[in-house]
Amino acid sequence: MAALDGLPPLRDVIQRHGLDAKKALGQNFLLDLNLTQKIARTAGAIENHTVIEVGPGPGGLTRAILALGAKRVIAIERDARCLPALAEVSAHYPGRLTVIGGDALKTDFEALAPGEPVRIIANLPYNVGTQLLVNWLLPKTWPPFWDSLTLMFQREVGLRIVAEENDDHYGRLGVLCGWRTRAHMAFDVPPQAFTPPPKVTSSVVHLEPIPNPLPCDVASLERVTQAAFGQRRKMLRQSVKSLGGEALLARAEIDPQRRAETLSLDEFVRLANAL
Ligand code: SAM
């Protein structure tokens, strides 16, 4: 049965182009166009946006983003085997899909669509997903070049992104995301929705930038979160000892007997600013 967008079903595309999934590239493909549309819809209005997608693979999510009316899509795919399949999608939507063959970790995202409103939507390869997110959270300037990030991660990573204090998943990633964005879990996706199925459940997370985050030096925030969560079961007087210990905590007006995971975002910012 042909898909609703008039392009061939993804299963056929994968077979015709010999796109058997490679584990090293984190390839778990989504073939259900209802599900890929649900992910694309989570991003909000995209008609006036350039959507940047990482890892389009055979193009399931790309097709959903285009069918939902994105003004333009720029997709970065590392696996050259996928490029002919993506060229067919590009031909079906003239002038709206640009595919860049290359490594997303080496891509200058800010330079892809300068001056245009951007949303990033991706079913991320598990091995580079967290690094890409951190890069997008730490661009040269803030507010960032993107209006939103709608990203699929392993559920465990999703929980770390949205975690707040007094949550076992709270850590460096939760502090960074909480400092600069409003992040929420949109929905879970079970392993059997993918081909091949991964071992664990995945989650779609949506993040929007806070225009004016609390003033704080990124490097200092990284240092305090790394030290504090590096020994998360220990009292702060011990875990941040190398950064100044009790004197630092006194300057930040934080009880040295507390543990990292009880500190709110504001308190982490205070600690970073006291460094
Ligand atoms: N978007 C497709 C989907 O939802 O079915 C594929 C998602 S699959 C989880 C991840 C994709 O990212 C694969 O197509 C893989 O080849 C690609 N990929 C892996 N590492 C990459 C990298 N460093 N840069 C760009 N793409 C990468």
Side-chain angles (χ1 to χ4, degrees), residues 15-36:
Q15 200 175 26
R16 195 156 37 85
H17 293 279
L19 303 180
D20 47 307
K22 284 192 183 166
K23 208 171 171 188
L25 285 171
Q27 292 184 334
N28 300 98
F29 301 134
L30 291 171
L31 307 190
D32 177 352
L33 292 176
N34 288 320
L35 180 56
T36 51

Side-chain angles (χ1 to χ4, degrees), residues 20 59 65 67 71 108-109 125 127 149 158 162 176 185 197 204 219 221 231 245 261 272:
D20 47 307
I65 296 165
K71 190 173 167 204
D108 179 359
F109 285 90
N127 46 349
L149 308 173
V162 302
L176 205 53
M185 279 277 196
V204 174
L221 190 62
Q231 301 181 58
E261 66 184 36

Side-chain angles (χ1 to χ4, degrees), residues 40-51 68-71 117-119 121 147-148 206 208:
R41 268 198 302 273
T42 303
I46 51 176
E47 295 81 5
N48 298 317
H49 278 81
T50 293
V51 172
L68 282 179
K71 190 173 167 204
V118 165
R119 293 195 193 279
I121 306 178
D147 288 345
S148 64
H206 182 78
E208 293 187 0

Side-chain angles (χ1 to χ4, degrees), residues 25-30 53-57 61 76-79 102-104 123-125 128:
L25 285 171
Q27 292 184 334
N28 300 98
F29 301 134
L30 291 171
E53 187 194 359
V54 170
L61 183 54
I76 299 120
E77 174 55 61
R78 190 172 177 186
D79 185 354
D103 184 346
N123 170 13
L124 289 172
V128 295

Side-chain angles (χ1 to χ4, degrees), residues 173-208:
L173 203 52
V175 170
L176 205 53
C177 292
W179 172 47
R180 288 202 144 170
T181 72
R182 294 205 192 297
H184 78 269
M185 279 277 196
F187 55 92
D188 289 342
V189 181
Q192 59 273 21
F194 299 84
T195 303
K199 288 203 175 70
V200 295
T201 298
S202 301
S203 300
V204 174
V205 182
H206 182 78
L207 304 96
E208 293 187 0

